[in-house]
Amino acid sequence: VVSRRVRDALAAAPALCPAWRPNPAPFDPKWGGPAGKPCAHNEVVMHAVRPFAPLEVLNTRCCSRRHPAPGNEGFDGCLEFLRARCRAKRRATTVWDSEAFYCVGCDGGVDALPKRELLGWSQARLEVFLPALRRLTVATRGAVPTRALVRRLDACLAVGRGEVRLARRGVAA
């Protein structure tokens, strides 16, 4: 029901998400029938409930025109929705799904870090990085791409291990 209300609100006020062209009839019985979500996924509804809050969707991927949800071939998906909202409001957002970490910039550009790139990481590194990435993503309000956060964490660890020495500025000798 909430997804249908969100869809109806977006249809009634296209300025809320200019240039987003979802499936005008996503009434596939397999995906919720008339009450179905606009793209058969949650990101559009979650964004309507908590605009620009970092999103983590555990059991699905963020659908898009390039990788559509079933029955949504040829139409914009959730990723295009987030891109349009970010451009319209000039704000960035982040969504983590089952396949990647996405950061949509205020210009609508997308930085994606596929999770398969983390397969070569040790378990110890994953145990440190994933909780830290969650905290940093929330702390930066989803405005910093995950790939950049990984570089920052690597730099912090290098300093902690003594591999990099920080210059002291403004300290009297």
Side-chain angles (χ1 to χ4, degrees):
V1 174
V2 172
S3 61
R4 187 64 208 179
R5 288 182 188 155
V6 169
R7 183 177 179 76
D8 291 346
L10 290 169
L16 290 174
C17 197
W20 185 51
R21 302 295 174 255
N23 187 341
F27 302 131
D28 185 339
K30 184 175 165 185
W31 295 98
K37 293 176 185 72
C39 307
H41 285 162
N42 298 314
E43 292 85 348
V44 172
V45 173
M46 290 168 57
H47 184 81
V49 173
R50 295 184 63 214
F52 298 99
L55 305 175
E56 186 170 9
V57 184
L58 301 176
N59 61 349
T60 187
R61 67 177 165 78
C62 188
C63 69
S64 64
R65 186 173 276 276
R66 186 171 171 202
H67 299 287
N72 206 44
E73 292 82 6
F75 296 99
D76 287 350
C78 293
L79 189 58
E80 286 82 15
F81 170 82
L82 294 171
R83 293 180 70 198
R85 289 293 294 153
C86 289
R87 277 192 307 270
K89 294 295 184 178
R90 299 193 195 303
R91 288 186 63 184
T93 195
T94 294
V95 61
W96 292 11
D97 72 5
S98 61
E99 295 181 2
F101 304 98
Y102 298 97
C103 181
V104 182
C106 57
D107 63 352
V110 177
D111 183 89
L113 174 60
K115 288 183 176 179
R116 68 179 172 275
E117 289 186 22
L118 280 60
L119 291 176
W121 290 14
S122 69
Q123 181 177 344
R125 181 176 168 91
L126 288 169
E127 288 172 350
V128 169
F129 271 68
L130 290 178
L133 287 172
R134 264 190 198 91
R135 286 192 297 274
L136 288 171
T137 298
V138 170
T140 60
R141 297 183 176 157
V144 179
T146 302
R147 194 178 308 275
L149 293 176
V150 167
R151 285 192 302 270
R152 291 174 187 180
L153 285 169
D154 277 334
C156 289
L157 290 173
V159 169
R161 288 189 301 262
E163 297 168 7
V164 175
R165 189 165 175 198
L166 298 177
R168 301 178 91 191
R169 293 184 190 184
V171 177

